Amino acid sequence: MHDDRTLVEARLRRVLDERVRPAVYPESVPLEVAVWHAPGEPVPVAEGLAAEPEPIAVGARWGAPWGTSWFRVTGTVPEAWAGRTVEALLDLGFDENMPGFQCEGLVYRPDGTPVKGLNPRNQWVRIGAPAEGGEEVRLHVEAASNPVVLDYHPFRPTALGDKDTAGTEPQYTLTRMDLAVFDETVWRLVLDLEVLGELMAELPVDSARRHDILRAVERALDAVDLQDVNGTAERAREQLTGVLSAPAVPSAHRISAVGHAHIDSAWLWPLRETVRKVARTTSNMTALIEDEPEFVFAMSQAQQWAWVKEHRPEVWARVKKAVAEGRFVPAGGMWVESDTNMPGSEAMARQFVHGKRFFLDEFGVENEEAWLPDTFGFAAGLPQIIRAAGAKWLLTQKISWSQTNKFPHHTFLWEGIDGTRIFTHFPPVDTYNCSMKGAEIAHAARNFKDKGRARHSLAPTGWGDGGGGTTREMVAKAARLRDLEGSATVVWETPRAFFEKAEAEYPEPPVWVGELYLELHRATLTSQAKTKQGNRRSEHLLREAELWAATAAVRTGFPYPYEELDRIWKTVLLHQFHDILPGSSIAWVHREARATYERVAAELTAVVEGAQRALAGEGTTALIFNAAPHARHGVPAGGAATAPAGRHRTTLTAGPDGGHVLDNGLLRITVDGRGLVVSAYDLAAGRETVAPGRVAGLLQLHPDFPNMWDAWDVDSFYRNTVTDLTDADSVTAGEDGESVRVVRSFGDSRVTQVLSLPPGEKRLVLDTEVDWHETEKFLKLAFPLDLHAERYASETQFGHAFRPTHTNTSWESAKFEACNHRFVHLEEPGWGVAVVNDSTYGHDVTRGVRSGGDRGTTTTVRVSLLRAPRFPDPETDQGVHRFRHALVPGAAIADAVREGWRINLPERRTTGAREVAPLIAVDDDAVVVTAVKLADDGSGDVVVRFHEAHGGRVRATLTVGFGIADVTVTDLLERPGGDGEPPVRDGDRITVALRPFELMTLRLRRA
């Protein structure tokens, strides 16, 4: 038999495109259209409906960037259409290749009832099947003219990312506003042919099944009269019945489809637009649920649900009804789909506390899965947090984006730093916007790495962002793929149903230990420095506010600000979303974030100061309040205030070559005439810190122009070229006698660095102010250390994780930029060095060889300070920035932990009448208290959360500074729970035993 396969396949493509798809709407009449352009920000729905529009014609341009236009469409169903299905086709100027990245609309009835969203792949509104013609149609469309920021030529600088710079040029052309007859038979024929054509393309050329489909398709095409598609569509469908009813083989891969719309809480649009994106999508999905009895939709991010509740109560009512039916599923149990690398311990915990509590309070739903399809890598402390929140599963897809190494599993156990294991699934479909194309389904089956041991995978199905979610076409395709020979099988299921099946069939999956590092988007640890700084400072201010407010409430009856703290926590958690905190959003988002962090800081500072005034009373005694979890300067840890102790002294003398020497009896720091640290000598250990022939505190400048994803990526070749900033404008002694001030100029920028050696403290502090005006550059701060280390520790949530310093394998080589929280620590047996920071996250660690021929390795730690990408914010990081770092020679891991907390929680000095004792005191520095607060339920119980921070086992005693009636171990939501050895209470003393990095939460009922 002659091979005519390509001939039939080409015929199928053309007939579908030019004859069958157009016949879905065989008749149409134009609607009358009028428009009112809102003058500024979006207006309430009632105002938009009441506005008086002016006529506009199809073909007219409309929509200034970030504007809102209210279209009114009116018309009459022709008499001849009586009994036929009629739809309105409303094309605002969509590009079907860009669902989620352009204009969108939400359709309302005249009474304000939302109908559904309008999106590039979802332009129809069902009018119905009127028994008689002549029905009047009147709809209103709230249309958002969001500009296309990520265009066909991506990553080009654009002013469209902020309404202040975007201009007023109309962005879109009104394309179609019609009433049309919808021919469901032809629509079903389209889907039959699409499913079979796409399946056929994925089957082996020599397979019998492929040729069976080919001949059936050929017969169907023969049965279609191209001059009368509507009259012959049913005849064509009959030719496909046999191949569509052939069942899948028993070994077929099984896909759980979950309706989904991954909506970034901010990215190439501001937060206010996400509120409307969510309303459009939830309107679409509740409408689809009503039409499709098997369809199930899952939506994560409690913040987005809260926005619907607050801003679109009519949509909220429909959502609640669908949730009650089990068809619209709250997923993930987090406030937002946050970054997980940079949020601190408590913030990561509170993502689950606030997310899970919202779903419990609103729907009684207990989420057992973490749902993070798009987050840029996963910190090694996360499994314990997931478990402590009462969850046990994790889903993500993003690791499939890694550029260097292919992850070896799709279903596995992920083990965190404390030994907690979480059942984890990576959908092998490799997208969180599955559209049920045959290529996607076949890829999922072929790609699944756990064949022979497991058979199930999950496919998040639907257009994300502003794409409107799952479409009726996706649902129809899934129905055809439910049990189809040659394909994986597809069934709509909830995330819980999938995980239960996957876990049951795979009782002993492989284990992956440590962080899930994404080999991409590494620069998100540095971009938008002020957003990151605002996050870090907000986290520590929240710790202080809770600590001092709880202490004042117990000691003085101070009114604990429950509602204020709840609101601020949710604001901070929102801004940890995985395109805000990582710095990959448009200028508008980060401009608003900076202003938000300023407001948060002012509010929290007021709480702290009010609580401290209540505690200290009126008086003139000088007091130091210490919120850090370790004692310092004679002030106890954990929320104490005492009178300041006497000071030690630091000397400043002239050094060689016009430099200076700082000495406090613990360290001797030599700064040369260029303002560079040539020696940091540990006097007690008799040991030099700086690598021979090298200088520390060195600023290094690299070119930074990645191949793609400017704000997200730094590519390894950036290190091929480096400029050491060694020239100084001035190097002078500080007026305090304890510091050296260095000023440098480079490019269009200027940096002022103050190197200080605090009396009585074994740390060199570097305060760096950069007036940054570079473009596509990367600024690093380098510390070459005379230290041999095979690995180093970097702080993560509730502990630290280790990374190798070598690049033996591609896995290690790929980690050329990594995340730390407050410290990086390296050590040889008996002596180590820490580099601590107050607001940076990105860093790199490399190995070198000692100069002078005596062999031996050195290790260099470089802190990432600033970048200057031009997309999506062309002015990223321009302006003045201030950073604080400290070099801590002779540091054990305990010193690194302590100094990391101290640099982030400076003392507060005030005056008062009395000293303050801590609510909770711990007798072992290995136990770090991360939160002291009153219970969220308003009971007045005190909640204390702590963990083992050094990586060893510990038995410690907590002394409670108030009368207690009961002690309960709880989960993160302050409910009874937890595992491990239970605490032992003896009066006001509680003894706990913790394994390495174990997290524990205690609830103390006050007597």
Side-chain angles (χ1 to χ4, degrees), residues 536 540 544 822 837-839 899-906:
R536 178 76 68 85
H540 287 86
E544 284 196 87
R822 287 169 289 239
N837 72 84
D838 75 341
S839 59
E899 294 298 336
W901 276 102
R902 286 182 177 179
I903 201 171
N904 283 274
L905 281 170

Side-chain angles (χ1 to χ4, degrees), residues 351-362:
Q351 286 286 353
F352 288 91
V353 169
H354 287 282
K356 291 197 71 172
R357 187 170 288 144
F358 182 90
F359 292 143
L360 282 165
D361 290 347
E362 294 293 339

Side-chain angles (χ1 to χ4, degrees), residues 389-535:
K392 58 184 180 181
W393 303 312
L394 169 66
L395 178 135
T396 184
Q397 183 274 148
K398 201 66 173 187
I399 301 300
S400 70
W401 286 39
S402 286
Q403 288 180 316
T404 305
N405 297 285
K406 192 75 171 175
F407 198 80
H409 318 296
H410 280 108
T411 302
F412 60 99
L413 293 176
W414 178 28
E415 181 178 314
I417 55 173
D418 74 311
T420 298
R421 292 180 175 181
I422 294 294
F423 189 85
T424 302
H425 180 67
F426 293 174
V429 71
D430 282 349
T431 179
Y432 41 80
N433 294 311
C434 176
S435 61
M436 286 291 134
K437 286 184 178 178
E440 294 171 335
I441 302 305
H443 176 75
R446 285 194 300 263
N447 187 41
F448 188 56
K449 296 206 178 321
D450 302 286
K451 297 182 186 77
R453 298 185 182 274
R455 192 175 293 168
H456 284 81
S457 73
L458 185 146
T461 302
W463 299 117
D465 293 320
T470 317
T471 65
R472 63 183 177 184
E473 287 77 16
M474 296 175 195
V475 176
K477 282 190 169 186
R480 288 158 174 78
L481 296 170
R482 185 179 185 91
D483 188 15
L484 182 62
E485 183 186 354
S487 172
T489 65
V490 177
V491 61
W492 294 104
E493 290 189 303
T494 65
R496 175 185 292 274
F498 161 75
F499 274 110
E500 288 174 344
K501 288 181 179 178
E503 203 168 25
E505 78 172 0
Y506 207 2
E508 296 184 8
V511 178
W512 181 270
V513 178
E515 68 182 326
L516 293 169
Y517 180 92
L518 177 64
E519 296 169 353
L520 190 75
H521 293 359
R522 303 167 181 89
T524 57
L525 303 172
T526 305
S527 297
Q528 297 288 0
K530 288 185 178 177
T531 298
K532 292 170 171 57
Q533 197 166 64
N535 173 73

Side-chain angles (χ1 to χ4, degrees), residues 319-342:
V319 167
K320 288 188 69 174
K321 177 178 179 291
V323 172
E325 295 169 353
R327 307 277 305 285
F328 198 121
V329 182
M334 296 176 68
W335 190 246
V336 294
E337 289 181 11
S338 73
D339 181 79
T340 77
N341 285 310
M342 291 176 281

